[in-house]
Amino acid sequence: MSRYIIFIFLALVTFACASKDNKPNADTASAKPAIDGAKIFKQNCELCHGADGKLGANGSKDLTVSELDLNERIAMVTKGKGVMMAFENILSLSEIKAVAEYSITLKK
Ligand code: HEC
């Protein structure tokens, strides 16, 4: 019987610790401002690609017809190519991912 009580006690302690650990994570996640891919695009990409991705200024490619997948776009934005600068020191990884995802939504 006493073994059961110890087991239940340990289970409760484990459960209590686990839920304590989860709480701060949930709080920090909700405290972070949501990353807005559209806004990042407006601030960093519109200059060459245009609001609709079609501008093609400075020899940039029309993003509405780009066949690159998400990973290729993330690589493109991170490292840059030719006239397009690398954004690895300008945007965070999650911002790069958000803007790459947004650029796919421009596809027609
Ligand atoms: C200085 C102008 C400039 C800016 C700013 C710029 N780009 Fe580009 N982008 C280019 C050029 C030029 C190319 C073509 C590069 C090449 O292939 O040589 C290109 C290519 C791309 C491609 C690949 C298209 C394809 O199919 O090959 C993607 C995706 C892309 N840009 C996304 C972005 C995103 C997202 C941003 C903002 C974070 C951005 N670009 C900002 C000039 C720019």
Side-chain angles (χ1 to χ4, degrees), residues 44-45 48-49 58-61 63 66 68 73 76-77 81 83-85 87 91 99:
N44 299 280
C45 323
C48 298
H49 292 286
N58 300 316
S60 65
K61 298 231 167 115
L63 295 181
S66 172
L68 299 188
R73 284 166 194 251
M76 178 80 205
V77 175
K81 188 178 174 192
V83 178
M84 181 167 152
M85 65 286 252
F87 283 88
L91 299 173
V99 78

Side-chain angles (χ1 to χ4, degrees), residues 31-105:
K32 258 192 215 158
I35 297 173
D36 185 349
K39 194 172 159 200
I40 298 167
F41 189 87
K42 208 174 173 44
Q43 290 167 343
N44 299 280
C45 323
E46 236 183 75
L47 180 69
C48 298
H49 292 286
D52 58 2
K54 290 185 188 171
L55 185 64
N58 300 316
S60 65
K61 298 231 167 115
D62 182 343
L63 295 181
T64 65
V65 298
S66 172
E67 293 296 328
L68 299 188
D69 67 20
L70 180 61
N71 284 331
E72 290 168 326
R73 284 166 194 251
I74 290 173
M76 178 80 205
V77 175
T78 307
K79 294 293 172 196
K81 188 178 174 192
V83 178
M84 181 167 152
M85 65 286 252
F87 283 88
E88 59 190 341
N89 297 322
I90 301 170
L91 299 173
S92 72
L93 279 179
S94 35
E95 285 171 332
I96 289 175
K97 185 162 179 275
V99 78
E101 277 167 352
Y102 175 75
S103 76
I104 292 177
T105 69

